[in-house]
Amino acid sequence: GQQVMQIPQYQHVQEGEDFTTYCNSSTTLSNIQWYKQRPGGHPVFLIQLVKSGEVKKQKRLTFQFGEAKKNSSLHITATQTTDVGTYFCAGPNQAGTALIFGKGTTLSVSS
Amino acid sequence: EAGVAQSPRYKIIEKRQSVAFWCNPISGHATLYWYQQILGQGPKLLIQFQNNGVVDDSQLPKDRFSAERLKGVDSTLKIQPAKLEDSAVYLCASSRGQGAQETQYFGPGTRLLVL
């Protein structure tokens, strides 16, 4: 069945280092969304990408949608302790009615 | 704008007992989702409502799980009887419209522990 895969599962960085998480789909996606879940919290929407090759920035976060619309990445420049959490990508199911979430990448940051 | 409300926040039950969770979505949001999130996993969709109709319940274990959204606003999810593997966080989310392009707003979740 349709899958959304994320790597790495865990990443630990020193504060100030960069971080990247990758998302891959077994099928072409019409769009991809990214969510962040703080420890003990709930997922919070970050961004949606729709166009092939699209790049969007939110302060230190850069989101990219692959040319083939089957992969995406989230890059954080100069991580801060406030970036701690699990980052999920999510793509549409086959019917286009709902999202399939990846397993997430959990980021920890030490100061 | 008030967010998605869920109750209870925590629940501990023994296996074979029943439990119910309640969700009140953001006002005006037509679509409501129930997800199950097992520790270390992403949210897994259990059921999706559009107003008071079911859009997708293909991953709902219907032998023990049931959900309703009678008036197209708040919703309840029930498990009867519970099994150990039902221990998880149950997240409710809502969106203004229907479709995978919609932004979903999540509630704080109900943490269920089945002993």
Side-chain angles (χ1 to χ4, degrees), chain A residues 52-89:
Chain A
S52 169
E54 188 171 16
V55 177
K56 286 188 175 180
K57 293 190 176 184
Q58 290 180 351
K59 296 181 180 179
R60 295 177 295 102
L61 276 61
T62 301
F63 302 84
Q64 191 163 6
F65 202 7
E67 293 289 342
K69 302 183 74 173
K70 294 183 73 174
N71 57 74
S72 181
S73 64
L74 159 59
H75 179 82
I76 302 178
T77 303
T79 55
Q80 300 176 358
T81 54
T82 53
D83 297 323
V84 163
T86 301
Y87 294 86
F88 294 99
C89 63

Side-chain angles (χ1 to χ4, degrees), chain A residues 8 11 13 17-21 74-77 79 87 105 107:
Chain A
Q11 180 86 56
V13 299
E17 292 182 334
D18 292 357
F19 159 77
T20 305
T21 174
L74 159 59
H75 179 82
I76 302 178
T77 303
T79 55
Y87 294 86
T105 296
L107 172 65

Side-chain angles (χ1 to χ4, degrees), chain B residues 1-113:
Chain B
E1 180 179 73
V4 176
Q6 287 189 249
S7 68
R9 294 294 309 277
Y10 305 91
K11 191 74 178 178
I12 301 174
I13 61 172
E14 295 189 349
K15 61 183 179 184
R16 292 188 288 273
Q17 285 187 324
S18 63
V19 64
F21 313 126
W22 175 82
C23 172
N24 191 26
I26 292 173
S27 177
H29 279 196
T31 307
L32 185 147
Y33 314 80
W34 281 103
Y35 289 91
Q36 180 191 59
Q37 186 175 25
I38 291 171
L39 190 64
Q41 305 278 325
K44 171 189 162 187
L45 181 69
L46 293 175
I47 189 167
Q48 177 185 354
F49 292 95
Q50 173 76 7
N51 297 312
N52 61 352
V54 175
V55 174
D56 184 351
D57 63 357
S58 57
Q59 297 195 87
L60 187 73
K62 298 180 187 64
D63 58 333
R64 298 184 300 106
F65 287 64
S66 63
E68 59 183 14
R69 193 185 184 199
L70 291 176
K71 296 184 179 179
V73 181
D74 55 354
S75 174
T76 55
L77 175 70
K78 296 179 182 178
I79 308 175
Q80 184 179 8
K83 291 186 176 181
L84 297 177
E85 58 259 36
D86 298 332
S87 294
V89 177
Y90 290 85
L91 294 163
C92 179
S94 69
S95 62
R96 191 171 301 278
Q98 182 186 341
Q101 77 285 352
E102 293 287 322
T103 297
Q104 296 189 20
Y105 298 86
F106 285 81
T110 297
R111 298 179 184 277
L112 173 68
L113 179 59

Side-chain angles (χ1 to χ4, degrees), chain A:
Chain A
Q2 189 176 357
Q3 291 185 10
V4 175
M5 294 153 288
Q6 283 186 256
I7 55 170
Q9 189 173 359
Y10 302 99
Q11 180 86 56
H12 177 78
V13 299
Q14 295 287 322
E15 192 173 23
E17 292 182 334
D18 292 357
F19 159 77
T20 305
T21 174
Y22 300 91
C23 179
N24 292 286
S25 169
S26 56
T27 60
T28 301
L29 303 171
S30 58
N31 63 282
I32 194 159
Q33 297 188 19
W34 285 89
Y35 289 77
K36 178 183 178 181
Q37 186 172 24
R38 293 182 186 275
H42 56 275
V44 174
F45 174 79
L46 292 177
I47 208 158
Q48 177 171 231
L49 304 171
V50 177
K51 299 177 183 176
S52 169
E54 188 171 16
V55 177
K56 286 188 175 180
K57 293 190 176 184
Q58 290 180 351
K59 296 181 180 179
R60 295 177 295 102
L61 276 61
T62 301
F63 302 84
Q64 191 163 6
F65 202 7
E67 293 289 342
K69 302 183 74 173
K70 294 183 73 174
N71 57 74
S72 181
S73 64
L74 159 59
H75 179 82
I76 302 178
T77 303
T79 55
Q80 300 176 358
T81 54
T82 53
D83 297 323
V84 163
T86 301
Y87 294 86
F88 294 99
C89 63
N93 61 4
Q94 277 194 321
T97 54
L99 291 172
I100 296 176
F101 283 79
K103 290 186 175 182
T105 296
T106 298
L107 172 65
S108 61
V109 180
S110 54
S111 55

